[in-house]
């Protein structure tokens, strides 16, 4: 991330967002009960993708980032495997 923070973002005037996914770090959606079986239904790749789409929609909502702003998805916590599905899910949500 240092290359992105120190070089790429300043060069391109980019806004970098590093969201913390549910169940990681301090993001425990059900507090101390988060790891109980009934609450683990939200711990899925599908839910991570939906969270990314929701975050992008919020950032691009009125008063947020400009419409048509290019976006790129990168993840060091979950690996690059989420980048392509996140872009496809965001594109499908935008087309709906």
């Amino acid at each position: 991330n240092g290359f992105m923070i120190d070089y790429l973002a300043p060069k391109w005037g980019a806004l970098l967002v590093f969201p913390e996914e549910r169940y990681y770090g301090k993001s425990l959606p059900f507090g101390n009960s988060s790891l109980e079986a009934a609450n683990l239904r939200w711990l899925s790749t599908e839910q991570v993708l939906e969270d990314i789409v929701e975050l992008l929609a919020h950032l691009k909502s009125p008063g947020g980032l400009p419409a048509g702003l290019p976006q790129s998805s990168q993840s060091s916590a979950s690996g690059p495997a989420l980048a392509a599905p996140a872009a496809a899910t965001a594109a499908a949500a935008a087309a709906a």
Side-chain angles (χ1 to χ4, degrees), residues 9-71:
K11 178 178 180 177
W12 298 103
L15 168 68
L16 298 177
V17 179
F18 295 94
E20 183 174 89
E21 295 164 8
R22 298 175 194 209
Y23 299 93
Y24 297 96
K26 295 181 181 179
S27 297
L28 296 173
F30 301 100
N32 292 335
S33 303
S34 294
L35 299 180
E36 292 178 6
N39 295 328
L40 288 176
R41 63 189 172 136
W42 304 110
L43 180 58
S44 67
T45 301
E46 180 180 5
Q47 190 59 51
V48 170
L49 294 173
E50 292 296 330
D51 288 346
I52 291 169
V53 169
E54 185 65 29
L55 175 62
L56 289 172
H58 177 73
L59 290 174
K60 292 182 172 187
S61 66
L65 300 174
L69 186 71
Q71 63 194 40

